[in-house]
Amino acid sequence: MKNKLKLGLAAIAVSTLGLAGCAQTSDAIVIGSQAYYSNEIVAEAYAQALEEAGYEVERNFSLGQRDVYVPAILEGEVDLFPEYTGNLLQYFNPDASETEASAVYDALTSALPEGLSALAMSPATDQDSYNVTQEFAAANNLSSITDLANLGSVTLGGAPELAERPYGPTGLLSVYGVSVEFLATGDTTVESLVAGDVDMANVYSADPRINQLGLVTLSDPAGLFLSSNLVPIASSALDQGARDAINAVSLAMSADDLVAMNVRSVEEELSAVSNRRRLASFRRPNQLTN
Amino acid sequence: MFDIPDFIGWLLNPENWQGRYGIPNLIQEHLLLSFGAIALATFLALPIGIAIGHFNRGTALVVLLGSASRAIPTMGLLFALVMLLGVQLRELAVVIALVAIAFPPLLAGAYAGISAIEKHIPDSATAQGLTPWQLLRIVEIPLAMPAIIGGFRIAWIQVTSTVVLAPLVGLGGLGFGIIQGLALRNFDQVVASALLIVLVTVLGDQLLGFAQKNQAFRLGHLSGGKNK
């Protein structure tokens, strides 16, 4: 509990610094985003949808990590934020045991603090997933995490925190009976997988490199991973019209659309903030894949 | 702001002293990467620094490198090197990035130590028949030793506090506890790891400081000078 208080104070201090410079104009809907390009693209899609529906919008993107921006949302400095169901649920309730998409969404709705609401959940997901190279999958006949149990030893690469996550080495052992040796590969996880330093890597499912490098994502039949669908988090400042406009975007966006947008962003080096016009097609995500 | 018992508890928990990312392993990796970088930097910087001081040529280089090193974004350099060399050579990438930090203070220390020697000393040594090589070995380098060790102190502090970035590219070292702890919001781990980094840094600096004083005292004693 004391930790939470410390964290809260630190986060408020940081967010006050970060947001102090951004004067809030009258009635504009303030849209925030994480400092993660894919999240920024989605935030921009929300912004354009709202502008098209006649709302005034203020973009306050790239607010950093959850520890920084969640207090800002709670303070009412941000009205709308693209989030991910599983990860946000874990933030508000670290002990949550739900992993299936709709169960996670329901748990999140009740875990959200007063004044915040989750709008309609999008079919698009961006969640942790275990990936292997095509060669490794073919050589060992892998398609699901279950298949790993036949292998003698597996090295798993990922961010340092994966060592302690419920879906990390402990979860693999208890849910699938797969014992892995963990290597904290940090920001070089995908590179380490390709170089053969690790056999399997934790990569976000919407990461364009899965597609570009032809990685094989192992299926997770037992629901080890927390589902993390895109979900807009809104404050009470959003009226019904605005909510409807955002819901239309969420429902239209599929997991493939999200990946396609990320691939485009990476390959064409488009930035959601600096190249707004060229990204206009992201407004109607279903047109993207063409 | 933080509770003392909490992070002491984390430090005392035997679980945190085991395995690949246990405290002993992390300290060892922290030190190995630091020593590796400083050793390589010494090999490069000392001969150049001593030569510049001895011949009194190229002093501009010392100033230039000293200022330039402050403008290098270490993290950017680190990632660029990992991409350039490939992930399998990430240890080398970290060491090279750290060499870039350790090189300027070592160079400056060696140069300053030699060039601060009053001119009549090498002159009289030469007059007594010392060859240039003997002059360097018997007179100049020993006299420059305190300043050279001073360079090592600065290099040590900068390297051991920057090697904290190594976990970002998949290595260990004491920065691991900070990077993992922040992501897990385990602030006891963060504080404990930071404390260990400070401890390693300060301890090394104190040891070098002791060697430096010892050297200065010995010189003063030998020459019967003001340090006696």
Side-chain angles (χ1 to χ4, degrees):
Chain A
M1 273 301 110
K2 274 177 192 160
N3 268 342
K4 275 204 177 133
L5 182 66
K6 279 181 238 167
L7 170 72
L9 287 173
I12 288 167
V14 172
S15 61
T16 326
L17 285 176
L19 299 175
C22 323
Q24 217 154 316
T25 48
S26 58
D27 292 334
I29 296 174
V30 183
I31 305 178
S33 90
Q34 297 177 348
Y36 167 39
Y37 72 98
S38 175
N39 193 267
E40 244 173 66
I41 294 171
V42 176
E44 177 61 29
Y46 293 168
Q48 292 184 7
L50 286 178
E51 280 173 339
E52 202 165 73
Y55 289 90
E56 201 186 327
V57 161
E58 190 187 316
R59 291 168 175 83
N60 207 339
F61 292 173
S62 235
L63 292 179
Q65 307 286 323
R66 215 163 261 121
D67 287 338
V68 176
Y69 66 70
V70 167
I73 304 176
L74 292 174
E75 290 277 296
E77 289 167 270
V78 178
D79 301 316
L80 181 65
F81 210 103
E83 259 293 358
Y84 306 90
T85 52
N87 300 60
L88 189 61
L89 173 61
Q90 211 173 36
Y91 178 88
F92 284 117
N93 179 11
D95 305 321
S97 58
E98 292 82 359
T99 58
E100 188 270 323
S102 60
V104 170
Y105 180 75
D106 291 342
L108 175 66
T109 339
S110 48
L112 279 179
E114 192 105 9
L116 292 185
S117 51
L119 303 186
M121 173 172 80
S122 167
T125 56
D126 195 356
Q127 64 192 45
D128 295 282
S129 71
Y130 285 143
N131 296 269
V132 295
T133 58
Q134 230 154 31
E135 299 77 44
F136 191 76
N140 298 292
N141 204 10
L142 301 174
S143 65
S144 143
I145 301 179
T146 323
D147 302 333
L148 291 169
N150 310 324
L151 292 177
S153 71
V154 180
T155 25
L156 167 66
E161 63 268 23
L162 179 62
E164 308 293 329
R165 297 283 192 213
Y167 47 83
T170 19
L172 275 170
L173 187 62
S174 64
V175 177
Y176 286 103
V178 176
S179 65
V180 293
E181 192 201 330
F182 177 68
L183 215 58
T185 40
D187 289 343
T188 57
T189 298
V190 174
E191 289 81 1
S192 304
L193 178 69
V194 173
D197 280 3
V198 295
D199 300 323
M200 180 164 80
N202 179 15
V203 186
Y204 286 124
S205 58
D207 193 315
R209 290 172 298 179
I210 294 180
N211 202 319
Q212 291 166 333
L213 299 168
L215 303 181
V216 177
T217 301
L218 300 180
S219 68
D220 173 27
L224 177 65
F225 288 114
L226 209 61
S227 292
S228 247
N229 293 61
L230 259 178
V231 67
I233 300 298
S235 75
S236 45
L238 249 68
D239 65 22
Q240 196 52 49
R243 284 165 193 253
D244 290 343
I246 298 297
N247 283 342
V249 173
S250 294
L251 295 174
M253 197 183 296
S254 74
D256 290 339
D257 292 330
L258 187 62
V259 175
M261 291 195 286
N262 292 348
V263 170
R264 249 195 88 182
S265 170
V266 170
E267 284 182 351
E268 299 174 29
E269 292 180 357
L270 297 174
S271 135
V273 180
S274 67
N275 223 331
R276 207 156 273 158
R277 200 153 297 281
R278 289 187 62 192
L279 282 164
S281 62
F282 287 1
R283 189 170 36 204
R284 286 179 209 85
N286 45 355
Q287 295 179 348
L288 249 183
T289 32
N290 307 332
Chain B
M1 190 77 188
F2 43 79
D3 299 290
I4 290 168
D6 284 355
F7 72 83
I8 298 279
W10 188 91
L11 274 177
L12 295 178
N13 185 349
E15 251 180 52
N16 299 325
W17 289 78
Q18 289 161 5
R20 165 72 182 85
Y21 298 106
I23 293 169
N25 249 343
L26 293 180
I27 291 182
Q28 190 197 349
E29 203 170 347
H30 200 91
L31 293 179
L32 277 180
L33 288 170
S34 305
F35 286 150
I38 291 179
L40 191 57
T42 305
F43 189 69
L44 294 169
L46 288 200
I48 300 178
I50 290 170
I52 291 175
H54 183 76
F55 297 111
N56 204 18
R57 294 239 165 89
T59 41
L61 185 74
V62 179
V63 179
L64 196 79
L65 281 175
S67 341
S69 73
R70 267 162 231 212
I72 298 176
T74 313
M75 202 158 135
L77 179 66
L78 180 60
F79 279 108
L81 283 169
V82 169
M83 293 303 135
L84 211 68
L85 300 171
V87 280
Q88 276 159 329
L89 292 176
R90 49 182 139 218
E91 281 92 352
L92 183 65
V94 171
V95 167
I96 294 177
L98 294 175
V99 164
I101 297 176
F103 185 84
L106 291 175
L107 182 75
Y111 156 74
I114 302 277
S115 71
I117 298 169
E118 285 174 50
K119 208 177 173 318
H120 66 85
I121 297 177
D123 283 351
S124 36
T126 312
Q128 290 198 352
L130 263 66
T131 64
W133 187 245
Q134 283 174 321
L135 167 70
L136 199 64
R137 198 166 48 84
I138 304 173
V139 179
E140 289 187 320
I141 293 180
L143 283 174
M145 223 39 203
I148 293 177
I149 299 176
F152 273 103
R153 289 180 74 172
I154 299 173
W156 171 260
I157 290 176
Q158 296 195 341
V159 166
T160 49
S161 48
T162 308
V163 70
V164 170
L165 296 174
L168 292 176
V169 295
L171 289 174
L174 290 166
F176 184 85
I178 293 185
I179 288 165
Q180 186 188 51
L182 281 177
L184 294 169
R185 297 198 287 152
N186 181 352
F187 296 106
D188 300 330
Q189 183 184 11
V190 173
V191 173
S193 304
L195 201 75
L196 287 173
I197 294 164
V198 171
L199 213 69
V200 164
T201 306
V202 172
L203 255 171
D205 179 57
Q206 288 301 306
L207 278 174
L208 284 167
F210 180 73
Q212 191 181 24
K213 277 205 195 92
N214 203 30
Q215 200 70 20
F217 177 79
R218 211 166 64 91
L219 287 177
H221 196 75
L222 278 176
S223 63
K226 47 191 181 274
N227 285 327
K228 195 169 185 178

mmCIF file of all heavy atoms in Angstrom, chain A residues 208-242:
data_model
loop_
_atom_site.group_PDB
_atom_site.id
_atom_site.type_symbol
_atom_site.label_atom_id
_atom_site.label_comp_id
_atom_site.label_asym_id
_atom_site.label_seq_id
_atom_site.Cartn_x
_atom_site.Cartn_y
_atom_site.Cartn_z
ATOM 1 N N PRO A 208 5.139 -5.232 -36.166
ATOM 2 C CA PRO A 208 5.284 -5.505 -37.603
ATOM 3 C C PRO A 208 6.355 -6.538 -37.917
ATOM 4 O O PRO A 208 6.307 -7.199 -38.945
ATOM 5 C CB PRO A 208 5.690 -4.150 -38.190
ATOM 6 C CG PRO A 208 5.476 -3.146 -37.145
ATOM 7 C CD PRO A 208 5.382 -3.838 -35.823
ATOM 8 N N ARG A 209 7.329 -6.675 -37.028
ATOM 9 C CA ARG A 209 8.443 -7.569 -37.344
ATOM 10 C C ARG A 209 8.026 -9.034 -37.375
ATOM 11 O O ARG A 209 8.678 -9.845 -38.023
ATOM 12 C CB ARG A 209 9.588 -7.346 -36.354
ATOM 13 C CG ARG A 209 10.272 -6.004 -36.572
ATOM 14 C CD ARG A 209 11.269 -5.704 -35.491
ATOM 15 N NE ARG A 209 10.623 -5.601 -34.194
ATOM 16 C CZ ARG A 209 11.276 -5.366 -33.056
ATOM 17 N NH1 ARG A 209 12.570 -5.236 -33.064
ATOM 18 N NH2 ARG A 209 10.618 -5.261 -31.924
ATOM 19 N N ILE A 210 6.930 -9.375 -36.677
ATOM 20 C CA ILE A 210 6.440 -10.752 -36.742
ATOM 21 C C ILE A 210 6.140 -11.080 -38.191
ATOM 22 O O ILE A 210 6.518 -12.130 -38.724
ATOM 23 C CB ILE A 210 5.175 -10.925 -35.870
ATOM 24 C CG1 ILE A 210 5.529 -10.743 -34.400
ATOM 25 C CG2 ILE A 210 4.530 -12.284 -36.120
ATOM 26 C CD1 ILE A 210 4.354 -10.884 -33.461
ATOM 27 N N ASN A 211 5.486 -10.101 -38.843
ATOM 28 C CA ASN A 211 5.111 -10.221 -40.228
ATOM 29 C C ASN A 211 6.339 -10.145 -41.144
ATOM 30 O O ASN A 211 6.562 -11.002 -41.999
ATOM 31 C CB ASN A 211 4.172 -9.042 -40.514
ATOM 32 C CG ASN A 211 3.292 -9.294 -41.686
ATOM 33 O OD1 ASN A 211 3.780 -9.841 -42.672
ATOM 34 N ND2 ASN A 211 2.030 -8.933 -41.581
ATOM 35 N N GLN A 212 7.157 -9.134 -40.926
ATOM 36 C CA GLN A 212 8.288 -8.881 -41.818
ATOM 37 C C GLN A 212 9.324 -10.003 -41.782
ATOM 38 O O GLN A 212 9.922 -10.325 -42.798
ATOM 39 C CB GLN A 212 8.965 -7.558 -41.438
ATOM 40 C CG GLN A 212 8.100 -6.345 -41.743
ATOM 41 C CD GLN A 212 8.616 -5.085 -41.063
ATOM 42 O OE1 GLN A 212 9.263 -5.143 -40.031
ATOM 43 N NE2 GLN A 212 8.320 -3.943 -41.650
ATOM 44 N N LEU A 213 9.550 -10.574 -40.601
ATOM 45 C CA LEU A 213 10.583 -11.597 -40.467
ATOM 46 C C LEU A 213 10.007 -13.004 -40.570
ATOM 47 O O LEU A 213 10.730 -13.982 -40.452
ATOM 48 C CB LEU A 213 11.317 -11.444 -39.123
ATOM 49 C CG LEU A 213 12.040 -10.118 -38.903
ATOM 50 C CD1 LEU A 213 12.470 -9.972 -37.470
ATOM 51 C CD2 LEU A 213 13.245 -10.038 -39.828
ATOM 52 N N GLY A 214 8.693 -13.072 -40.772
ATOM 53 C CA GLY A 214 8.055 -14.378 -40.891
ATOM 54 C C GLY A 214 8.154 -15.209 -39.629
ATOM 55 O O GLY A 214 8.360 -16.425 -39.684
ATOM 56 N N LEU A 215 8.024 -14.567 -38.468
ATOM 57 C CA LEU A 215 8.067 -15.319 -37.216
ATOM 58 C C LEU A 215 6.775 -16.113 -37.049
ATOM 59 O O LEU A 215 5.732 -15.738 -37.582
ATOM 60 C CB LEU A 215 8.243 -14.376 -36.024
ATOM 61 C CG LEU A 215 9.464 -13.461 -36.057
ATOM 62 C CD1 LEU A 215 9.521 -12.604 -34.802
ATOM 63 C CD2 LEU A 215 10.742 -14.279 -36.197
ATOM 64 N N VAL A 216 6.855 -17.198 -36.319
ATOM 65 C CA VAL A 216 5.671 -18.024 -36.065
ATOM 66 C C VAL A 216 5.204 -17.770 -34.636
ATOM 67 O O VAL A 216 5.950 -17.978 -33.682
ATOM 68 C CB VAL A 216 6.007 -19.522 -36.248
ATOM 69 C CG1 VAL A 216 4.793 -20.379 -35.924
ATOM 70 C CG2 VAL A 216 6.511 -19.779 -37.653
ATOM 71 N N THR A 217 3.979 -17.273 -34.517
ATOM 72 C CA THR A 217 3.411 -17.045 -33.193
ATOM 73 C C THR A 217 2.753 -18.335 -32.724
ATOM 74 O O THR A 217 1.890 -18.880 -33.417
ATOM 75 C CB THR A 217 2.361 -15.919 -33.236
ATOM 76 O OG1 THR A 217 2.992 -14.740 -33.720
ATOM 77 C CG2 THR A 217 1.780 -15.661 -31.867
ATOM 78 N N LEU A 218 3.195 -18.829 -31.587
ATOM 79 C CA LEU A 218 2.635 -20.078 -31.069
ATOM 80 C C LEU A 218 1.263 -19.807 -30.461
ATOM 81 O O LEU A 218 1.085 -18.830 -29.725
ATOM 82 C CB LEU A 218 3.573 -20.676 -30.014
ATOM 83 C CG LEU A 218 4.973 -21.018 -30.505
ATOM 84 C CD1 LEU A 218 5.821 -21.596 -29.377
ATOM 85 C CD2 LEU A 218 4.921 -22.005 -31.672
ATOM 86 N N SER A 219 0.305 -20.676 -30.773
ATOM 87 C CA SER A 219 -1.037 -20.469 -30.229
ATOM 88 C C SER A 219 -1.030 -20.806 -28.736
ATOM 89 O O SER A 219 -0.169 -21.534 -28.250
ATOM 90 C CB SER A 219 -2.051 -21.323 -30.979
ATOM 91 O OG SER A 219 -1.802 -22.687 -30.698
ATOM 92 N N ASP A 220 -2.022 -20.251 -28.052
ATOM 93 C CA ASP A 220 -2.063 -20.326 -26.597
ATOM 94 C C ASP A 220 -3.399 -20.931 -26.176
ATOM 95 O O ASP A 220 -4.262 -20.223 -25.658
ATOM 96 C CB ASP A 220 -1.871 -18.885 -26.066
ATOM 97 C CG ASP A 220 -2.050 -18.758 -24.565
ATOM 98 O OD1 ASP A 220 -1.810 -19.752 -23.848
ATOM 99 O OD2 ASP A 220 -2.420 -17.668 -24.125
ATOM 100 N N PRO A 221 -3.603 -22.237 -26.423
ATOM 101 C CA PRO A 221 -4.924 -22.832 -26.183
ATOM 102 C C PRO A 221 -5.375 -22.756 -24.723
ATOM 103 O O PRO A 221 -6.574 -22.684 -24.455
ATOM 104 C CB PRO A 221 -4.748 -24.293 -26.637
ATOM 105 C CG PRO A 221 -3.289 -24.523 -26.665
ATOM 106 C CD PRO A 221 -2.656 -23.215 -26.967
ATOM 107 N N ALA A 222 -4.440 -22.758 -23.785
ATOM 108 C CA ALA A 222 -4.849 -22.767 -22.380
ATOM 109 C C ALA A 222 -5.057 -21.356 -21.817
ATOM 110 O O ALA A 222 -5.370 -21.193 -20.646
ATOM 111 C CB ALA A 222 -3.806 -23.511 -21.550
ATOM 112 N N GLY A 223 -4.894 -20.334 -22.663
ATOM 113 C CA GLY A 223 -5.131 -18.966 -22.197
ATOM 114 C C GLY A 223 -4.138 -18.496 -21.156
ATOM 115 O O GLY A 223 -4.500 -17.953 -20.125
ATOM 116 N N LEU A 224 -2.853 -18.720 -21.441
ATOM 117 C CA LEU A 224 -1.804 -18.257 -20.531
ATOM 118 C C LEU A 224 -1.724 -16.737 -20.541
ATOM 119 O O LEU A 224 -1.608 -16.088 -19.512
ATOM 120 C CB LEU A 224 -0.470 -18.866 -20.973
ATOM 121 C CG LEU A 224 0.787 -18.457 -20.216
ATOM 122 C CD1 LEU A 224 0.727 -18.930 -18.782
ATOM 123 C CD2 LEU A 224 2.021 -19.032 -20.910
ATOM 124 N N PHE A 225 -1.821 -16.185 -21.745
ATOM 125 C CA PHE A 225 -1.690 -14.734 -21.874
ATOM 126 C C PHE A 225 -3.006 -14.047 -21.583
ATOM 127 O O PHE A 225 -4.071 -14.519 -21.952
ATOM 128 C CB PHE A 225 -1.254 -14.352 -23.293
ATOM 129 C CG PHE A 225 0.172 -14.695 -23.576
ATOM 130 C CD1 PHE A 225 0.493 -15.660 -24.506
ATOM 131 C CD2 PHE A 225 1.185 -14.049 -22.907
ATOM 132 C CE1 PHE A 225 1.804 -15.977 -24.777
ATOM 133 C CE2 PHE A 225 2.511 -14.352 -23.159
ATOM 134 C CZ PHE A 225 2.814 -15.330 -24.091
ATOM 135 N N LEU A 226 -2.859 -12.916 -20.970
ATOM 136 C CA LEU A 226 -3.968 -12.018 -20.755
ATOM 137 C C LEU A 226 -4.367 -11.464 -22.120
ATOM 138 O O LEU A 226 -3.531 -10.938 -22.835
ATOM 139 C CB LEU A 226 -3.388 -10.898 -19.906
ATOM 140 C CG LEU A 226 -4.187 -10.110 -18.942
ATOM 141 C CD1 LEU A 226 -4.754 -11.027 -17.889
ATOM 142 C CD2 LEU A 226 -3.269 -9.077 -18.293
ATOM 143 N N SER A 227 -5.650 -11.562 -22.497
ATOM 144 C CA SER A 227 -6.072 -10.923 -23.743
ATOM 145 C C SER A 227 -5.907 -9.429 -23.586
ATOM 146 O O SER A 227 -6.238 -8.875 -22.548
ATOM 147 C CB SER A 227 -7.536 -11.194 -24.016
ATOM 148 O OG SER A 227 -7.725 -12.527 -24.302
ATOM 149 N N SER A 228 -5.424 -8.781 -24.616
ATOM 150 C CA SER A 228 -5.325 -7.335 -24.537
ATOM 151 C C SER A 228 -5.856 -6.714 -25.811
ATOM 152 O O SER A 228 -5.140 -6.517 -26.774
ATOM 153 C CB SER A 228 -3.884 -6.900 -24.262
ATOM 154 O OG SER A 228 -3.805 -6.328 -22.984
ATOM 155 N N ASN A 229 -7.168 -6.446 -25.789
ATOM 156 C CA ASN A 229 -7.794 -5.795 -26.923
ATOM 157 C C ASN A 229 -7.680 -4.289 -26.765
ATOM 158 O O ASN A 229 -7.614 -3.779 -25.661
ATOM 159 C CB ASN A 229 -9.281 -6.160 -26.985
ATOM 160 C CG ASN A 229 -9.490 -7.609 -27.308
ATOM 161 O OD1 ASN A 229 -9.057 -8.486 -26.575
ATOM 162 N ND2 ASN A 229 -10.143 -7.865 -28.423
ATOM 163 N N LEU A 230 -7.696 -3.628 -27.904
ATOM 164 C CA LEU A 230 -7.709 -2.165 -27.866
ATOM 165 C C LEU A 230 -9.024 -1.710 -27.253
ATOM 166 O O LEU A 230 -10.088 -2.217 -27.608
ATOM 167 C CB LEU A 230 -7.648 -1.625 -29.284
ATOM 168 C CG LEU A 230 -6.311 -1.119 -29.797
ATOM 169 C CD1 LEU A 230 -6.466 -0.678 -31.225
ATOM 170 C CD2 LEU A 230 -5.793 0.016 -28.937
ATOM 171 N N VAL A 231 -8.951 -0.774 -26.340
ATOM 172 C CA VAL A 231 -10.182 -0.255 -25.736
ATOM 173 C C VAL A 231 -9.964 1.222 -25.404
ATOM 174 O O VAL A 231 -8.951 1.589 -24.814
ATOM 175 C CB VAL A 231 -10.576 -1.076 -24.481
ATOM 176 C CG1 VAL A 231 -9.591 -0.910 -23.352
ATOM 177 C CG2 VAL A 231 -11.978 -0.721 -24.028
ATOM 178 N N PRO A 232 -10.901 2.091 -25.851
ATOM 179 C CA PRO A 232 -10.757 3.501 -25.508
ATOM 180 C C PRO A 232 -11.244 3.741 -24.082
ATOM 181 O O PRO A 232 -12.303 3.245 -23.703
ATOM 182 C CB PRO A 232 -11.682 4.218 -26.507
ATOM 183 C CG PRO A 232 -12.185 3.155 -27.432
ATOM 184 C CD PRO A 232 -12.044 1.850 -26.752
ATOM 185 N N ILE A 233 -10.471 4.462 -23.302
ATOM 186 C CA ILE A 233 -10.870 4.828 -21.955
ATOM 187 C C ILE A 233 -11.308 6.291 -21.998
ATOM 188 O O ILE A 233 -10.567 7.148 -22.491
ATOM 189 C CB ILE A 233 -9.691 4.658 -20.963
ATOM 190 C CG1 ILE A 233 -9.229 3.204 -20.942
ATOM 191 C CG2 ILE A 233 -10.069 5.121 -19.568
ATOM 192 C CD1 ILE A 233 -10.278 2.209 -20.487
ATOM 193 N N ALA A 234 -12.521 6.556 -21.522
ATOM 194 C CA ALA A 234 -13.072 7.906 -21.646
ATOM 195 C C ALA A 234 -13.460 8.468 -20.295
ATOM 196 O O ALA A 234 -13.865 7.738 -19.390
ATOM 197 C CB ALA A 234 -14.296 7.876 -22.564
ATOM 198 N N SER A 235 -13.300 9.779 -20.169
ATOM 199 C CA SER A 235 -13.784 10.450 -18.967
ATOM 200 C C SER A 235 -15.235 10.869 -19.201
ATOM 201 O O SER A 235 -15.767 10.731 -20.305
ATOM 202 C CB SER A 235 -12.932 11.674 -18.667
ATOM 203 O OG SER A 235 -13.264 12.703 -19.571
ATOM 204 N N SER A 236 -15.860 11.410 -18.171
ATOM 205 C CA SER A 236 -17.271 11.796 -18.305
ATOM 206 C C SER A 236 -17.435 13.005 -19.226
ATOM 207 O O SER A 236 -18.552 13.363 -19.587
ATOM 208 C CB SER A 236 -17.849 12.095 -16.921
ATOM 209 O OG SER A 236 -16.940 12.894 -16.201
ATOM 210 N N ALA A 237 -16.313 13.624 -19.639
ATOM 211 C CA ALA A 237 -16.405 14.795 -20.517
ATOM 212 C C ALA A 237 -16.886 14.427 -21.923
ATOM 213 O O ALA A 237 -17.279 15.295 -22.689
ATOM 214 C CB ALA A 237 -15.042 15.491 -20.599
ATOM 215 N N LEU A 238 -16.846 13.145 -22.243
ATOM 216 C CA LEU A 238 -17.254 12.722 -23.582
ATOM 217 C C LEU A 238 -18.764 12.503 -23.632
ATOM 218 O O LEU A 238 -19.297 11.685 -22.878
ATOM 219 C CB LEU A 238 -16.546 11.406 -23.950
ATOM 220 C CG LEU A 238 -15.495 11.521 -25.056
ATOM 221 C CD1 LEU A 238 -14.322 12.318 -24.539
ATOM 222 C CD2 LEU A 238 -15.068 10.160 -25.535
ATOM 223 N N ASP A 239 -19.454 13.209 -24.553
ATOM 224 C CA ASP A 239 -20.904 13.001 -24.648
ATOM 225 C C ASP A 239 -21.208 11.784 -25.527
ATOM 226 O O ASP A 239 -20.298 11.175 -26.094
ATOM 227 C CB ASP A 239 -21.602 14.271 -25.146
ATOM 228 C CG ASP A 239 -21.208 14.616 -26.566
ATOM 229 O OD1 ASP A 239 -20.760 13.706 -27.308
ATOM 230 O OD2 ASP A 239 -21.320 15.800 -26.936
ATOM 231 N N GLN A 240 -22.476 11.448 -25.639
ATOM 232 C CA GLN A 240 -22.857 10.227 -26.334
ATOM 233 C C GLN A 240 -22.439 10.235 -27.800
ATOM 234 O O GLN A 240 -21.995 9.228 -28.337
ATOM 235 C CB GLN A 240 -24.375 10.000 -26.194
ATOM 236 C CG GLN A 240 -24.827 8.588 -26.536
ATOM 237 C CD GLN A 240 -24.028 7.511 -25.773
ATOM 238 O OE1 GLN A 240 -23.862 7.603 -24.559
ATOM 239 N NE2 GLN A 240 -23.517 6.507 -26.482
ATOM 240 N N GLY A 241 -22.562 11.408 -28.438
ATOM 241 C CA GLY A 241 -22.184 11.510 -29.852
ATOM 242 C C GLY A 241 -20.734 11.150 -30.060
ATOM 243 O O GLY A 241 -20.381 10.403 -30.986
ATOM 244 N N ALA A 242 -19.887 11.664 -29.167
ATOM 245 C CA ALA A 242 -18.457 11.392 -29.278
ATOM 246 C C ALA A 242 -18.194 9.915 -29.044
ATOM 247 O O ALA A 242 -17.394 9.280 -29.734
ATOM 248 C CB ALA A 242 -17.684 12.236 -28.267
#
